[in-house]
Amino acid sequence: MTAPRPSQAWSPSASLVVIGWVFTACAILLAVLAGDAPGRVLLAVAALAAGLLSLHGTLARPRLAVDETGVTVRGLTRTRHWSWDRVSVRVVHTRRLGRQSAMLELDVQDQDGSGENGGEELVVLSRLDLAADPEDVADALAGLRPAG
């Protein structure tokens, strides 16, 4: 009998999430103390945006988890799990503003084609989502994927 394969998970960096919450609190405080109305509005919008991003980083943990049964992706409102045979993984490199970045793409095929999005779903995860290099995560997923 073989031992079960280990599971692994990736989440946004805890320190980055804490920095987001600190920025949110500072923006709220400055919005309250601001003397002009346009400054208050701008700071309130910044606080709302930072707060939503920090909330997502707090609640969507782990963002990506894998085990012998498949791949699980957690978002702000729901968690989705797919078996390995439905998921293909690739790393896509893009060049924007003179800087190259990598994104991990999970292409999910619905078994009968009747699911939402017409049978296909694309999940794109960045270095910020994973707190790791997408190339390294793709290699780890290849190693954890059951043979067959």
Side-chain angles (χ1 to χ4, degrees), residues 3-65:
R5 292 180 181 265
S7 62
Q8 199 164 352
W10 294 270
S11 299
S13 168
S15 59
L16 186 63
V17 174
V18 168
I19 290 170
W21 283 119
V22 169
F23 180 81
T24 301
C26 289
I28 290 171
L29 180 64
L30 289 173
V32 169
L33 298 176
D36 62 332
R40 282 188 178 148
V41 170
L42 184 60
L43 286 165
V45 169
L48 179 64
L52 288 173
L53 290 171
S54 299
L55 181 67
H56 184 269
T58 300
L59 296 179
R61 297 184 79 79
R63 185 79 170 104
L64 173 66

Side-chain angles (χ1 to χ4, degrees), residues 11-147:
S11 299
S13 168
S15 59
L16 186 63
V17 174
V18 168
I19 290 170
W21 283 119
V22 169
F23 180 81
T24 301
C26 289
I28 290 171
L29 180 64
L30 289 173
V32 169
L33 298 176
D36 62 332
R40 282 188 178 148
V41 170
L42 184 60
L43 286 165
V45 169
L48 179 64
L52 288 173
L53 290 171
S54 299
L55 181 67
H56 184 269
T58 300
L59 296 179
R61 297 184 79 79
R63 185 79 170 104
L64 173 66
V66 295
D67 59 19
E68 66 274 352
T69 64
V71 178
T72 303
V73 176
R74 181 174 289 183
L76 189 58
T77 59
R78 67 180 176 161
T79 300
R80 295 165 293 177
H81 180 82
W82 301 286
S83 60
W84 281 109
D85 62 332
R86 295 176 52 201
V87 179
S88 64
V89 179
R90 73 174 175 251
V91 177
V92 175
H93 297 275
T94 58
R95 186 170 197 81
R96 291 195 179 106
L97 300 174
R99 182 166 186 248
Q100 183 151 344
S101 63
M103 302 289 239
L104 182 72
E105 287 190 356
L106 305 175
D107 190 10
V108 182
Q109 300 294 319
D110 193 8
Q111 289 173 332
D112 60 3
S114 63
E116 75 181 66
N117 302 329
E120 288 188 56
E121 191 163 351
L122 180 65
V123 178
V124 180
L125 300 167
S126 70
R127 178 182 289 273
L128 290 176
D129 290 312
L130 304 168
D133 183 12
E135 297 259 357
D136 295 339
V137 175
D139 291 342
L141 292 176
L144 291 168
R145 182 180 214 116

